[in-house]
Structure formats: C-alpha cells, structure tokens
C-alpha cells in the first residue's frame, strides 16, 4: 500500500514522504490515527505544501542542529507542577509543558513531537529528557520537576 505521511513516524519517515507499507499497517494504524493519507495523484501535489511547511520549522542542517544541541544542554530546566504532600503530581507532565519550560529557561522553540521522555512523569524530581533535533543529533537535558 502506498501512502503519504502527514506526521513523523519513527523508523518510517517524516511528513511529506511517500512510503510503501504493508496493507494492514496502513489501513489499521496509520490512516485511522491520522499519521498518513492514501496516495493519489492529487494527494501527491499536497506533498509539496507539506514539505514547504516542514522546512519552515525544521532545523536547517547538521551544523545548526549541533548549535541548538549545545544551547539546550547548557540549560537548567525547571518545571513547576502541583503536587500532593508525598511528592506525587496531580496528573502528569506533558510534552507541551516541557517545551514551554525549555522556552522559559531561555532555550529555542521546540517541536513537542520530537521529545523522548523516560516514561510518564508523575512525581517530583529530576528526569532525563532527550530531543531529536536531526536524524544524527540528539540533545539531552535534565528536567527538574518542582512543587509550584
């Protein structure tokens, strides 16, 4: 089955890529989740629009990615969250909150979908977070969740 990706899918491609996948994977997962659209000649014309939008917000090249990596790794990122007496959070920390905390700490604007969390963050403490800036560059920083 030939499909056009609308979002980044690990191990498959990035938005605008035309890929060939097994019928079941495309029909049962990628299409219903909104990660892809079925390939047609008309949809292929939309690929240029998707790629243009991606290039506007994407890190330009490997050199720029390493620049952003050094900037991110030098940050002290603190995130204030509501917590109970035992240190458990009311809810959990989302990737959007982490992106906002990085920006508040003086970092660049990041894409929340590129964050890789160690799991659900549901307690106060320090957590290692990594972000894929480029296929060859991954930045790592510590996120300190404090009572706020």
């Amino acid at each position: 089955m030939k499909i056009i990706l609308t979002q980044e899918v690990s191990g498959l491609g990035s938005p605008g890529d035309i890929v060939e996948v097994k019928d079941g994977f495309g029909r049962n997962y990628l299409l219903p989740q909104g990660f892809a659209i079925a390939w047609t000649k008309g949809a292929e014309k939309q690929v240029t629009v998707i790629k243009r939008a991606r290039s506007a917000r994407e890190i330009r090249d490997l050199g720029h990615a390493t620049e952003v990596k050094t900037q991110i790794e030098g940050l002290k990122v603190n995130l204030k969250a509501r917590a109970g007496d035992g240190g458990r959070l009311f809810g959990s920390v989302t990737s959007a909150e982490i992106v906002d905390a990085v920006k508040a700490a003086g970092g660049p604007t990041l894409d929340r979908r590129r964050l890789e969390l160690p799991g659900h963050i549901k307690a106060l403490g320090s957590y290692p977070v990594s972000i894929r800036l480029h296929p060859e560059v991954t930045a790592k920083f510590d996120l300190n969740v404090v009572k706020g």
Side-chain angles (χ1 to χ4, degrees):
M1 171 181 239
K2 210 171 187 183
I3 58 168
I4 301 171
L5 296 176
T6 57
Q7 294 183 17
E8 186 168 335
V9 178
S10 296
L12 198 56
S14 53
D17 290 348
I18 300 171
V19 293
E20 186 78 31
V21 296
K22 299 231 178 185
D23 290 345
F25 183 55
R27 193 174 46 246
N28 297 327
Y29 178 68
L30 295 174
L31 294 175
Q33 295 291 325
F35 293 141
I37 56 175
W39 178 87
T40 61
K41 288 182 183 177
E44 191 168 0
K45 292 178 184 174
Q46 291 178 336
V47 170
T48 57
V49 175
I50 293 171
K51 286 187 176 183
R52 195 175 311 128
R54 176 178 55 169
S55 67
R57 70 170 188 267
E58 190 175 85
I59 301 223
R60 291 186 293 280
D61 56 7
L62 187 61
H64 185 240
T66 52
E67 254 179 56
V68 173
K69 177 183 176 180
T70 57
Q71 182 183 6
I72 290 173
E73 290 180 342
L75 294 176
K76 297 280 185 195
V77 182
N78 291 320
L79 178 66
K80 291 184 179 180
R82 291 184 44 204
D85 294 333
R88 279 185 56 88
L89 300 180
F90 298 130
S92 63
V93 175
T94 64
S95 56
E97 291 172 332
I98 295 171
V99 168
D100 292 340
V102 168
K103 187 154 180 75
T109 303
L110 302 171
D111 186 1
R112 66 175 175 79
R113 294 175 294 233
R114 294 181 176 266
L115 279 177
E116 295 173 353
L117 301 174
H120 296 290
I121 299 175
K122 294 186 174 195
L124 300 176
S126 182
Y127 297 91
V129 177
S130 60
I131 182 161
R132 290 180 327 264
L133 299 171
H134 190 269
E136 301 169 14
V137 179
T138 301
K140 296 180 180 177
F141 62 93
D142 285 328
L143 173 71
N144 296 316
V145 181
V146 295
K147 193 169 187 175

